[in-house]
Every structure is written in C-alpha cells, then in structure tokens.
Amino acid sequence: MKTLGVTALAGALMLCAAPMWAAIMIYPKFVDFGQTARVQEMTLVNPSPEETVTYRVRFKYARQNPDGTYMDVEQPGFTTAKDLVRFSPRSITLAPGKSQRVKLLRRIPADTPPGEYTGYIVFTQIPDEKPLQKASSSAAPGVRIELTAIPSFSIPVILTHGETKPDVPELSFLGLHTPEPGKPLARVRLARKGGADIPQSRTLRGDISVWADGRLAGVIKGKYLLAGNPYVDAAVPLDPAVAAPGTAVEILFTEPSEQDGADVSRLLAHAEGKL
C-alpha cells in the first residue's frame, strides 16, 4: 500500500483540540516594547500532566489583510520588528507541568528611521515520531493518506522608535450578516484617519463593542489595526435576544483600562447604525 504524508498547520493561542495534544498556554499574547523598553519576556507553559512537547521558535513578518487575515511576507522591502529584535532560545522542550521563558531584546541601529515596527514571534510544535493526529481516506484503491496536524501560533510584537504620527481611529457600520440561523454578526470597519504611511503610522488596538438600547449585544476584545494598513474589517457576534433585525445600535472602539479595580476604558471612536 502506498502512503502519502500531508502536514497541516493549526494556529491557536491555547491548543487542546485532541487528547494527544498537550494544552499550551502563553503570556502575554501581545508584546509591545513601546519607545523605551529594551527587554521583554514571554512565558510558555505546558499544563499537561503527561505529554512532553517541543516547540521551534522563529520570527516573521506578516501583512494584515483588510478582512483581518494575515499573509506571510518573506521580503517586505522595508524594516520590520524582525530586523530589530533578537530572541532566545530558538527551541523549547517542556516536560509536563513545566514552563519556559523566551527573552526578546530590542536592538535598533542608529540610522533606523523613526516609526513603529511590527512582526510576529512564531511557536511551531515539533511532532513526535508517532503522528499527533491521523485521518484516513480511500481516495483511490491501494492509497492511504495520513494527516499530521502541527500546532503553530503567532504573537504580535511591536516596537516604536522616535516620533510617530498620532493616528485617529474611525468606525463604520457595514451592516448585519447572518451566515447561520440564530447567529447574527455585525460587520464593522476599523480605519485610521490621515493615511497609512509605512512606517509612520501606529498600531490601533482596543475592544469593539455593539450596544442596543443600552445593553451589550456583542464584543470583540483585543482587535488591532497594524501600522501601515488603512483599515481592517471585523465581524462582531451578536446576542440575537438583544440585537434583533431593525434595532438601532451604537458601535464603540475603546481602549481598555482599570483603575482601583474599576473599568475606566477610554472611548476612541464610535459609529451608529441599524441592524
């Protein structure tokens, strides 16, 4: 019998989709050096009581598409965080219940132009000799296809050098979308005023919430528009009991913050519409 091997990549921040996979947790899920920090650390945790896992660590640049997906770019043609950040280690093996820190070091040459620079640090699991997950298909007599799922996840890394333009976010309500009965989505566009010159713009990051008659109908936390991009679209899941068709809604883009345990989120942009 002839066997064909096929590898699939699955992206997630916490992986526990199959019993053979150890759940992997990482903190933080967003690394921001700001203008002054030289060193940042990330912690990778293996909470599994049985499985030992090994991850390869690398850096990449990815372009954010308008629909919120990402496209890897090997040679972007301009400086990215990949060129300005060093990290170690390059490989991590975690025994059950153990953790490991990854250190990131900012190194900016003197001739680097002012701006914000972005990239991603990527963790890809190295599979054991025994496949993590298999699926068979009788596509043709005498042929068997084996699928090996390789978990991989990416964490955004941002650093700022010198002066950058202050970006002003704006929201637009694009309409109601219901791909499945009982699961409505509010289509929203997060954009920046003043253009998207690379690398002079800044990353916009915050929560997008939809309100109907003073009640929260849905929210996406931690949505961001990367520097260099004019806009990104989002689909906010709505509670159908709150957001019925024809309901007037208000959409907010806020910067989350707490003070003495109280929510003191700052409003960055808003829009209005009707579902």
Side-chain angles (χ1 to χ4, degrees):
M1 176 181 290
K2 185 182 295 185
T3 301
L4 304 177
V6 181
T7 299
L9 282 177
L13 296 179
M14 179 172 179
L15 301 171
C16 52
M20 289 186 180
W21 296 0
I24 298 298
M25 298 183 295
I26 190 167
Y27 181 84
K29 297 179 176 65
F30 192 98
V31 177
D32 188 352
F33 279 85
Q35 290 188 323
T36 59
R38 292 191 65 252
V39 178
Q40 294 282 5
E41 289 187 344
M42 307 173 67
T43 301
L44 199 69
V45 182
N46 177 14
S48 170
E50 300 177 355
E51 299 293 327
T52 295
V53 293
T54 298
Y55 274 80
R56 179 170 60 92
V57 188
R58 64 185 178 91
F59 223 102
K60 73 173 183 179
Y61 174 75
R63 179 181 294 117
Q64 187 181 38
N65 298 319
D67 63 358
T69 60
Y70 296 87
M71 177 185 299
D72 290 359
V73 181
E74 294 295 331
Q75 297 179 339
F78 51 87
T79 304
T80 72
K82 180 180 178 181
D83 307 303
L84 306 176
V85 176
R86 302 293 180 265
F87 64 94
S88 66
R90 300 298 177 103
S91 179
I92 297 174
T93 297
L94 293 175
K98 298 300 181 179
S99 63
Q100 170 77 49
R101 290 184 178 181
V102 176
K103 180 175 289 187
L104 294 86
L105 176 65
R106 171 194 189 121
R107 306 179 94 180
I108 300 183
D111 59 350
T112 302
E116 183 182 274
Y117 299 90
T118 62
Y120 293 83
I121 188 164
V122 183
F123 299 85
T124 303
Q125 186 172 343
I126 300 175
D128 297 330
E129 294 182 2
K130 180 174 64 175
L132 295 175
Q133 189 178 40
K134 290 184 178 181
S136 298
S137 173
S138 55
V143 176
R144 185 182 68 192
I145 298 176
E146 294 182 354
L147 299 178
T148 301
I150 301 180
S152 176
F153 55 96
S154 304
I155 303 298
V157 177
I158 296 176
L159 58 87
T160 305
H161 174 60
E163 295 296 326
T164 58
K165 295 179 180 178
D167 287 335
V168 178
E170 58 182 0
L171 283 178
S172 301
F173 177 58
L174 304 181
L176 178 66
H177 178 51
T178 308
E180 299 181 41
K183 296 183 178 181
L185 303 171
R187 296 175 56 244
V188 179
R189 174 164 295 174
L190 172 63
R192 58 164 44 90
K193 297 180 181 179
D197 297 335
I198 296 174
Q200 293 298 319
S201 60
R202 296 176 183 172
T203 291
L204 300 172
R205 182 168 180 250
D207 300 339
I208 298 178
S209 57
V210 179
W211 298 79
D213 296 327
R215 294 188 296 168
L216 180 63
V219 63
I220 292 181
K221 292 186 174 293
K223 187 67 179 180
Y224 52 88
L225 172 61
L226 292 181
N229 290 22
Y231 70 89
V232 64
D233 292 340
V236 183
L238 301 177
D239 181 351
V242 178
T247 303
V249 294
E250 184 178 17
I251 303 98
L252 307 181
F253 180 58
T254 56
E255 182 180 61
S257 181
E258 287 188 4
Q259 184 176 349
D260 298 329
D263 183 5
V264 291
S265 298
R266 184 166 66 99
L267 179 63
L268 301 177
H270 79 282
E272 297 178 353
K274 180 175 290 187
L275 298 177

